[in-house]
Amino acid sequence: GRSYKDSCPPLLERAFRDRYDAGYRVFQAQQRVDQLDQELRTKQRELDKTKEDRARARLRKDLSDLDQRLRRARDDVYDAERSLRY
């Protein structure tokens, strides 16, 4: 997760930078998955504690939206990891 500080010898710079950037995209994508997963767990706990029907309906909608976003974020991780293989 750290930034690159241009410490590679010029001859290796391009190859290193390409792989570093690809790896950093995986890192960022995984960070997004982790963030959304935490939001999902928080909303679920909120739903578990809420008794009022309207609030529960809103929370269920929020959970559904978060679930869709989480699926897309996991797809992004998969795509980023695939780019590392080539």
Side-chain angles (χ1 to χ4, degrees):
R2 293 183 180 205
S3 62
Y4 172 61
K5 304 263 196 246
D6 296 322
S7 57
C8 232
L11 212 55
L12 303 174
E13 174 80 23
R14 173 144 182 146
F16 173 80
R17 189 60 193 228
D18 288 347
R19 303 311 285 169
Y20 172 85
D21 289 343
Y24 193 69
R25 282 190 294 277
V26 171
F27 171 78
Q28 289 177 312
Q30 185 60 54
Q31 290 290 103
R32 182 70 178 140
V33 165
D34 293 346
Q35 175 193 1
L36 289 168
D37 192 48
Q38 179 61 41
E39 287 179 41
L40 194 84
R41 286 193 308 267
T42 299
K43 287 284 182 189
Q44 184 61 55
R45 282 192 301 273
E46 203 175 325
L47 177 64
D48 293 344
K49 293 177 183 178
T50 301
K51 303 294 183 213
E52 200 269 311
D53 288 340
R54 222 180 250 164
R56 290 181 61 79
R58 179 186 51 79
L59 287 166
R60 281 193 297 274
K61 169 82 169 84
D62 291 349
L63 282 165
S64 177
D65 292 345
L66 275 169
D67 188 56
Q68 288 177 4
R69 290 168 50 202
L70 185 56
R71 273 187 258 131
R72 283 192 301 269
R74 286 185 177 131
D75 289 343
D76 291 344
V77 170
Y78 175 78
D79 292 341
E81 287 176 341
R82 278 190 58 217
S83 75
L84 285 175
R85 295 182 196 139
Y86 303 106

